[in-house]
Amino acid sequence: MWRYIGRKLFVYLLTFVIAVTINWMIPRFMPGDPVRSMLNRASISDPEALERMTTYYETVFGLDTPLYQQYFNFWAGLFRGELGVSSMLYPQPVLDIILRSLPYTLALLLPAILLSWIVGNRFGAFAARNKVLDNTVLPVGYILTATPYMWLALLLAWSMGIVLGWFPASGGYSFSLIPEFSWLFISDLISHWFLPFMSLFIVALGGWAIGMRNMIIYELEADYSNYLQALGAPRRLIRRYAFRNAMLPQITGLAVQLGTVIAGALLTEIVFNYPGLGTLILSALNNRDFFVLQGVFLFVVVGVLIANFIIDIIYVLIDPRTRVQMTGGGA
Amino acid sequence: MTLRVNDLKVYYQTLRGDVHALDGVTFDLADGEIMGLAGESGCGKTTLGKSLIRLDSRMKHVGGTIELDGKNVPIADEKAMVPLRYHEISLIPQYAMSALNPTRKIGRMIKDLMKARGVDPASIEDELHRRLELVGLEQDVLNRFPIELSGGMKQRVVMVISTLLNPSLLIADEVTSALDVSTQRAVAESMVEFRDRGFVKSMVFVTHDLSLVYQMADTIMVMYAGHVVEKASAKTIVNEPKHPYTQMLISALPEVGSTEEQGRLEGIPGKPPGLLDPPTGCRFKDRCPLAFSKCSERPPLVEIEPGHWAACWKTG
Amino acid sequence: MSNVAGAPGTAEKSDGAAAKRGSEALHYARRNPKLLIGLGIVLGLLLLGIIAPFFVDHDPNEYIGPQGQAPDGEYWMGTTSFGQDIWAQFVYGLRATFLIGIFGGGVAFVIGTAVGFVAGYKGGIIDEILNMLTNVVLVLPALVVLIVVTAYLEVRGLFVQGVFIGLTSWPWAARAVRSQALSLANRDYVDLARLSGRRTWKIITSEIAPNMSSYLVMSFILLFGGAILIAAGLDFIGLGPSNGVSLGLMLESAVGWGALQRGMWWWFIPPGLGITVIVASLYILNVGLDEVFNPKLREL
């Protein structure tokens, strides 16, 4: 197992280095002058401030030093926790801006991922090899996974937010409220959270249900299932075993799907104008604030890597096969 | 009689029609008898093995009866079969290497299975330990996952599990084909020992390996294209076979006692007939050197001498 | 996307007798409602995307009609708040959606199968390296990478978008193909070809690939659907083709210009519905194919 975890760690480290390198390379090797286009969009009327900004960005890009020097400086800055300064919200550090948005995105993502995974697995297991349910769950599941996240978000925002008016369809909390630890504010926060969360949850649900259904069918055809059946074991026991075994690939699936769900969260936020990383990306794009954009990119990559690593460890703890290999067992 | 199979017909449903995999199979199996079931692949021996315990979804019971210890075995009735399975009829599958749930410890799996079959796990615990010891496994295997065991160990674990409730009839389907020669012999010997100790009353040992079956079985039944062609004591089948097919099968073996990996019969010209639309009469007639006009009628399986049955007009 | 759409299971393949298997597959294909419905809808929308634009005699982005008109006899899907004909945008958008699917999916398919085949067939150190590469690209969140990369492009086109999507979405296909190729590479007939001194590339294309053709078709369909969804996401964020028409761009402008607040449902429902129906039909078609080619699933 240590070998296994070591390999995984190596891949993640490599991925991180590659991500940082991409991040460093893109503004330098893409056609066009990023500093110029960034400053063009920054609506600063004070010429002195503009002057200061220009000098700042030119030093940060370090365009007058040799390339390798620029690269090392980039890493050095990263280790000091410097992600640069935003141009749209000059002179706020990018890190602060991101940390302000991050809680909103996490509040959407974590419950949506975990709940959709749990509920979807239950549903899929339930539907597998049950003719009536299978014929409904399967098409519904496929339609849900095929739904673009932002579209379901739009449908929910329109129907439940605007037409029915049950939930607010925009923002993270009401403008009339000041963030504080009060029942009023928290309930307001939750009512704003609900629709984006539901939208994310529903789309992700379909994929898990289908994945589980397919895995269970595969497991029910496996030799151990046939053996138990031949020995007259009841369906209940066989399905329980199949479910357990089908869970394992679903855990790996969680790691694989992470990127898709995160992308979904970003898109959903934009529809609801929810003040998380997605909305931040959109305004960074509109303002050509590359520092914010790249900072978000790094944050997402690091988040994905950490989540992947956690999933790997859980997997090792749950699957006896990897666990056995780690203790050098096996006769 | 432990087992009495009478004119059993089981067909496989396929796109092009029914494959007559078992087309009127009749035989008896005595108490304590170990019967080797031999024949080329596709002759219906595996289908027969399956039919005795669980039909898969493509198999259809068309006719005939099975009686075990005087009681009818309702093979077409999935529900009614459940109480018989494991308690009365058990199976060591071809895929013994992968027959154990990979994510359950073996002991735990056995407990689950016992509870599911209405047996108190504590009541069989001592017996379980004794039997594991008998096949040369330590009690510790119960605390392990299948992946921690070697192929031969898994095979023996499955053997112990399958016979734990002392079934009347055990079907062993190609149990040795995945093993190396020395392990094959050990497994075959333990099977005989299980019979001798009364863990199972009688046994059907499906195999393509005639030489192995010769060493351990009391009787051998040879099948060809869905029919039984001959059944007699192992000695008789190997030394004085009467049916022309059996004769060719035996002479095609390089030498009795050595192990032939594949039961391929290059020695016999021609191929077995397709069972989708099988020929009438004796199914071996197209390859048979002795065939004559009467062979267009199906020869009955008759007892040509005590305990020796054959289905051929020439021997009858 | 690995566990979406009946991720092709362990379809058993018998060596030889391919022709017989083919006709059998056809037999099942004709009777598989999932396959027929999925294929029917996909082909229907494809035809619509190909033919309908010829009957639109104006540019889909042209301000031609009344502003914010609900669907009626003249404008079947209504108009945008600028007076653009949504029907025209929709059919042109369908065309673009299929193009990006074929193109992005195609690039991903070529990379994925090439990497998978070579890794699975060659093994050893090459496998290790390719596997590592696959894992790296697999954990990178595709859409976020694409956002950062395309944000710097001043002018974006369908072609570039397709290439970038292809470059980020191939890994799971490579993994799937690798494991299949690995099992096939050890078969007798491949050994024979190797012994007879044939080139690796020849062996892969003539001995290995044909034996997993159904599997490859299914992988392509999944990549196709995936590319459509990613492209829609990019378009929606505002990183779609400049001055183009696509279903994702329609959603973007609908949200950007307040269709939601104004209750102009006809602006944002058709494009999203179009994407959903295409991709869902592709997935369902895939399940059908899986059932046809994988005998274990037939008895359902």
Side-chain angles (χ1 to χ4, degrees):
Chain A
M1 156 186 154
W2 297 118
R3 219 178 108 82
Y4 173 80
I5 289 191
R7 277 175 80 97
K8 289 280 185 182
L9 263 180
F10 179 72
V11 169
Y12 297 149
L13 215 66
L14 188 68
T15 311
F16 179 67
V17 172
I18 290 177
V20 171
T21 309
I22 291 178
N23 223 359
W24 171 81
M25 262 167 60
I26 286 172
R28 285 168 179 79
F29 294 99
M30 279 290 183
D33 181 352
V35 178
R36 181 63 37 78
S37 71
M38 197 150 75
L39 291 174
N40 284 347
R41 289 293 182 106
S43 44
I44 304 263
S45 45
D46 180 6
E48 199 182 316
L50 195 65
E51 183 82 7
R52 248 185 300 136
M53 270 175 88
T54 315
T55 338
Y56 168 75
Y57 286 119
E58 269 167 4
T59 10
V60 170
F61 272 104
L63 293 176
D64 44 357
T65 50
L67 267 183
Y68 73 92
Q69 191 73 39
Q70 291 181 29
Y71 187 61
F72 284 121
N73 288 346
F74 191 77
W75 273 101
L78 211 59
F79 281 121
R80 285 193 302 269
E82 288 172 13
L83 293 172
V85 171
S86 159
S87 69
M88 60 178 177
L89 296 168
Y90 192 83
Q92 292 190 35
V94 167
L95 192 64
D96 292 1
I97 300 176
I98 291 177
L99 287 180
R100 232 182 296 144
S101 303
L102 192 63
Y104 287 97
T105 300
L106 286 180
L108 279 188
L109 263 181
L110 293 180
I113 290 178
L114 291 178
L115 286 176
S116 68
W117 191 79
I118 293 169
V119 177
N121 279 336
R122 289 271 152 204
F123 241 125
F126 205 57
R129 285 285 146 101
N130 174 332
K131 271 226 164 74
V132 183
L133 265 179
D134 208 33
N135 282 336
T136 51
V137 168
L138 194 71
V140 170
Y142 278 113
I143 290 170
L144 287 182
T145 30
T147 308
Y149 279 93
M150 61 274 184
W151 190 56
L152 188 72
L154 276 167
L155 292 184
L156 286 185
W158 179 59
S159 60
M160 302 182 88
I162 290 168
V163 176
L164 295 171
W166 291 348
F167 295 95
S170 175
Y173 52 85
S174 305
F175 287 119
S176 54
L177 295 177
I178 305 153
E180 56 177 352
F181 198 73
S182 71
W183 172 238
L184 182 70
F185 182 72
I186 291 173
S187 65
D188 186 60
L189 213 55
I190 291 175
S191 74
H192 278 82
W193 167 86
F194 184 75
L195 281 184
F197 159 76
M198 273 314 276
S199 157
L200 206 53
F201 170 78
I202 292 172
V203 177
L205 185 71
W208 298 126
I210 290 163
M212 188 43 140
R213 173 210 170 255
N214 292 342
M215 284 314 304
I216 289 257
I217 286 180
Y218 179 75
E219 292 293 335
L220 288 178
E221 292 287 333
D223 287 340
Y224 69 86
S225 301
N226 277 324
Y227 182 54
L228 285 173
Q229 259 167 329
L231 297 187
R235 233 174 130 68
R236 209 163 8 93
L237 179 69
I238 297 169
R239 288 191 78 107
R240 203 170 76 210
Y241 279 10
F243 182 70
R244 266 183 74 94
N245 291 334
M247 278 310 254
L248 296 169
Q250 286 290 84
I251 292 176
T252 326
L254 195 57
V256 176
Q257 291 292 299
L258 213 55
T260 315
V261 185
I262 291 177
L266 303 181
L267 296 170
T268 305
E269 283 177 11
I270 293 175
V271 172
F272 289 97
N273 201 11
Y274 198 72
L277 293 179
T279 313
L280 185 61
I281 286 182
L282 188 69
S283 52
L285 277 173
N286 288 336
N287 293 298
R288 310 229 134 219
D289 190 339
F290 296 126
F291 280 83
V292 167
L293 207 56
Q294 298 194 322
V296 175
F297 170 72
L298 271 190
F299 254 80
V300 172
V301 169
V302 170
V304 168
L305 293 181
I306 292 174
N308 263 285
F309 191 62
I310 293 173
I311 291 171
D312 282 338
I313 292 189
I314 292 175
Y315 190 91
V316 166
L317 292 179
I318 290 181
D319 188 353
R321 284 163 290 192
T322 45
R323 201 168 52 217
V324 166
Q325 277 153 7
M326 94 186 146
T327 46
Chain B
M1 286 296 171
T2 304
L3 179 72
R4 172 164 280 167
V5 175
N6 188 25
D7 197 28
L8 182 65
K9 288 183 180 163
V10 173
Y11 295 170
Y12 271 99
Q13 293 167 298
T14 73
L15 269 186
R16 294 181 188 77
D18 288 347
V19 171
H20 299 216
L22 293 181
D23 218 353
V25 165
T26 302
F27 68 94
D28 292 335
L29 191 66
D31 277 0
E33 180 176 337
I34 296 182
M35 180 182 89
L37 180 54
E40 287 166 272
S41 54
C43 70
K45 58 186 194 301
T46 295
T47 312
L48 177 56
K50 272 189 180 170
S51 302
L52 293 173
I53 185 159
R54 190 170 85 94
L55 299 177
D56 74 34
S57 54
R58 288 176 305 152
M59 289 159 80
K60 189 173 63 174
H61 180 215
V62 179
T65 54
I66 301 177
E67 244 175 57
L68 182 66
D69 296 327
K71 284 173 296 189
N72 181 44
V73 179
I75 62 166
D77 184 347
E78 180 64 25
K79 256 213 191 88
M81 279 299 283
V82 170
L84 288 175
R85 290 189 187 131
Y86 205 10
H87 290 279
E88 303 291 330
I89 307 173
S90 190
L91 165 84
I92 301 180
Q94 207 165 352
Y95 47 83
M97 303 297 159
S98 51
L100 301 169
N101 181 358
T103 57
R104 267 274 199 265
K105 285 183 177 163
I106 288 161
R108 182 74 196 282
M109 193 213 116
I110 295 176
K111 267 194 194 129
D112 287 346
L113 181 60
M114 287 303 142
K115 278 191 217 143
R117 297 309 328 256
V119 177
D120 177 12
S123 69
I124 48 95
E125 205 175 329
D126 292 340
E127 189 61 26
L128 175 62
H129 294 164
R130 250 198 307 282
R131 291 190 187 182
L132 285 174
E133 201 180 326
L134 193 66
V135 296
L137 293 173
E138 286 168 33
Q139 268 185 38
D140 185 47
V141 294
L142 296 176
N143 292 319
R144 301 222 218 146
F145 288 102
I147 191 177
E148 299 174 81
L149 308 186
S150 69
M153 288 166 87
K154 275 187 255 186
Q155 181 90 40
R156 281 176 279 167
V157 167
V158 170
M159 230 165 88
V160 168
I161 294 177
S162 290
T163 54
L164 201 51
L165 298 184
N166 295 348
S168 265
L169 173 67
L170 178 71
I171 299 144
D173 188 1
E174 303 274 9
V175 287
T176 55
S177 49
L179 302 172
D180 61 73
V181 179
S182 61
T183 325
Q184 275 184 358
R185 180 141 313 167
V187 165
E189 274 162 12
S190 338
M191 309 260 309
V192 175
E193 183 159 8
F194 272 37
R195 189 266 320 261
D196 294 345
R197 288 176 180 254
F199 298 168
V200 293
K201 216 192 271 174
S202 45
M203 204 182 294
V204 173
F205 196 91
V206 182
T207 184
H208 56 248
D209 185 350
L210 264 175
S211 41
L212 182 83
V213 122
Y214 172 63
Q215 288 161 21
M216 64 171 293
D218 305 312
T219 57
I220 294 178
M221 182 162 94
V222 179
M223 288 184 67
Y224 183 78
H227 285 168
V228 173
V229 296
E230 191 166 7
K231 185 192 172 196
S233 70
K235 257 205 197 78
T236 313
I237 288 282
V238 172
N239 298 326
E240 317 159 54
K242 283 288 187 307
H243 194 285
Y245 175 68
T246 318
Q247 287 169 353
M248 297 176 88
L249 196 64
I250 298 298
S251 63
L253 287 180
E255 187 189 322
V256 173
S258 79
T259 314
E260 232 273 33
E261 275 297 325
Q262 291 288 331
R264 267 192 232 117
L265 298 172
E266 278 100 0
I268 308 181
K271 284 191 309 198
L275 296 181
L276 199 54
D277 186 18
T280 52
C282 175
R283 293 194 174 164
F284 188 56
K285 65 177 185 290
D286 292 339
R287 291 166 88 184
C288 183
L290 308 177
F292 66 118
S293 58
K294 192 134 194 231
C295 295
S296 54
E297 269 172 66
R298 178 174 175 177
L301 186 68
V302 290
E303 193 164 20
I304 48 178
E305 53 188 66
H308 189 164
W309 303 71
C312 177
W313 294 115
K314 289 283 183 184
T315 56
Chain C
M1 293 278 143
S2 76
N3 60 9
V4 189
T10 48
E12 278 173 44
K13 275 154 197 108
S14 55
D15 318 343
K20 204 169 107 198
R21 214 182 66 219
S23 74
E24 196 167 293
L26 198 66
H27 176 97
Y28 280 105
R30 288 213 194 97
R31 281 162 185 73
N32 190 306
K34 291 176 189 129
L35 192 147
L36 295 178
I37 293 174
L39 193 66
I41 296 178
V42 170
L43 288 181
L45 287 174
L46 178 66
L47 277 179
L48 190 66
I50 292 174
I51 296 169
F54 291 118
F55 294 93
V56 175
D57 47 12
H58 51 266
D59 187 277
N61 284 339
E62 208 176 318
Y63 304 151
I64 176 171
Q67 297 180 347
Q69 172 80 48
D72 62 11
E74 197 184 349
Y75 298 101
W76 300 345
M77 285 186 177
T79 61
T80 69
S81 52
F82 306 104
Q84 293 154 311
D85 180 3
I86 292 182
W87 167 253
Q89 294 197 335
F90 181 73
V91 291
Y92 273 99
L94 273 182
R95 194 185 263 189
T97 296
F98 276 104
L99 274 179
I100 197 70
I102 288 173
F103 198 63
V107 172
F109 180 76
V110 169
I111 302 176
T113 46
V115 169
F117 273 133
V118 172
Y121 178 78
K122 282 276 187 183
I125 183 81
I126 294 178
D127 184 26
E128 288 274 322
I129 293 170
L130 288 178
N131 213 355
M132 196 147 280
L133 180 72
T134 309
N135 284 333
V136 167
V137 184
L138 192 68
V139 285
L140 281 175
L143 188 82
V144 186
V145 175
L146 286 170
I147 290 174
V148 168
V149 175
T150 46
Y152 285 93
L153 294 174
E154 296 289 334
V155 180
R156 289 174 294 265
L158 202 70
F159 178 78
V160 175
Q161 194 183 41
V163 170
F164 279 127
I165 289 176
L167 283 174
T168 48
S169 53
W170 56 269
W172 72 259
R175 263 195 181 181
V177 169
R178 173 181 171 271
S179 66
Q180 282 281 307
L182 207 61
S183 69
L184 286 173
N186 297 322
R187 299 277 173 88
D188 291 347
Y189 58 89
V190 177
D191 255 354
L192 194 68
R194 212 178 327 209
L195 282 175
S196 61
R198 294 175 56 194
R199 304 277 302 268
T200 305
W201 188 241
K202 267 242 117 78
I203 294 175
I204 289 176
T205 51
S206 65
E207 304 287 343
I208 298 183
N211 276 293
M212 47 187 290
S213 48
S214 62
Y215 198 83
L216 292 177
V217 170
M218 290 191 273
S219 300
F220 176 69
I221 292 178
L222 289 183
L223 289 172
F224 187 102
I228 290 177
L229 285 179
I230 295 180
L234 273 180
D235 294 356
F236 180 70
I237 282 188
L239 294 172
S242 329
N243 303 319
V245 186
S246 83
L247 299 179
L249 287 171
M250 289 170 74
L251 283 176
E252 185 214 358
S253 50
V255 171
W257 302 106
L260 213 50
Q261 288 73 17
R262 299 192 213 173
M264 292 167 65
W265 51 267
W266 58 89
W267 196 353
F268 60 82
I269 284 185
L273 192 63
I275 298 171
T276 307
V277 170
I278 292 175
V279 179
S281 309
L282 284 170
Y283 287 168
I284 287 170
L285 162 67
N286 223 28
V287 184
L289 280 177
D290 200 19
E291 285 176 10
V292 166
F293 286 115
N294 190 347
K296 277 189 180 170
L297 298 173
R298 276 183 194 156
E299 294 140 31
L300 276 170

